[in-house]
Amino acid sequence: MVKIIAGGKKHASWLKEACDEYEKRLRKPWALEWQFVDEEKLPERVAKLNLIDFVILLDEHGKILSSPELSRRLKEPLESGRNVVLVIGGAFGHFPPEMTARANLIWSLSNLVLPHQICRLIVTEQIYRAQEIAHGGKYHHT
């Protein structure tokens, strides 16, 4: 399963509709579970994660991945029975050292700074794209 822990409020209505379009296409183990927490409670929530979880923090200073590389990075833990947990910060988006130390991967969506609500949509679409790449679907074409 892919879990997304997002700092801040639940999706705005326009965002929920857009995310739902991709979420309905996801199949296990790629299916999403959303958890929304106050931004200041993110470190506490991440500290409670199972040690076997594959944790990805979204941070503007992280590694920029191609879609095929993201697919590989997600597929490996999912195929071995691990949950993938993506953490999207709130409006300020920076993570304390204890969170970055826990991360298996720090991923940047872009060299641009993006609003966290927009990041949620991009991440949802990229998870769907990753699933399709992993299964040889026609959604992703180069």
Side-chain angles (χ1 to χ4, degrees), residues 8 34 56 70 91 100 127 139:
W34 287 92
I56 301 171
L70 176 65
T100 57
I127 292 169
Y139 182 77

Side-chain angles (χ1 to χ4, degrees), residues 16-132:
K16 179 168 178 20
E17 185 177 338
C19 288
D20 285 350
E21 278 301 307
Y22 293 105
E23 285 184 57
K24 69 183 179 186
R25 303 174 192 174
L26 293 167
R27 300 179 303 277
K28 288 185 180 182
W30 299 84
L32 291 182
E33 174 186 299
W34 287 92
Q35 297 175 5
F36 299 95
V37 298
D38 291 333
E39 187 173 0
E40 55 276 352
K41 293 184 179 178
L42 281 172
E44 176 185 322
R45 179 65 189 91
V46 170
K48 292 179 181 178
L49 292 173
N50 188 318
L51 290 177
I52 198 168
D53 291 334
F54 188 82
V55 178
I56 301 171
L57 300 183
L58 276 89
D59 186 279
E60 66 185 276
H61 302 293
K63 181 176 174 78
I64 293 180
L65 304 173
S66 67
S67 294
E69 186 175 355
L70 176 65
S71 180
R72 285 190 301 278
R73 296 280 191 113
L74 296 175
K75 182 180 175 184
E76 289 170 5
L78 289 171
E79 284 185 342
S80 66
R82 298 169 73 187
N83 288 326
V84 172
V85 181
L86 291 101
V87 183
I88 302 172
F92 298 102
H94 297 288
F95 297 109
E98 65 269 17
M99 286 179 65
T100 57
R102 170 60 181 92
N104 298 94
L105 173 64
I106 300 175
W107 174 32
S108 174
L109 297 178
S110 169
N111 287 326
L112 301 171
V113 175
L114 302 168
H116 66 282
Q117 292 268 339
I118 298 293
C119 290
R120 294 176 187 180
L121 176 57
I122 293 170
V123 167
T124 304
E125 187 277 337
Q126 284 298 303
I127 292 169
Y128 172 66
R129 183 178 297 276
Q131 171 191 266
E132 292 304 293

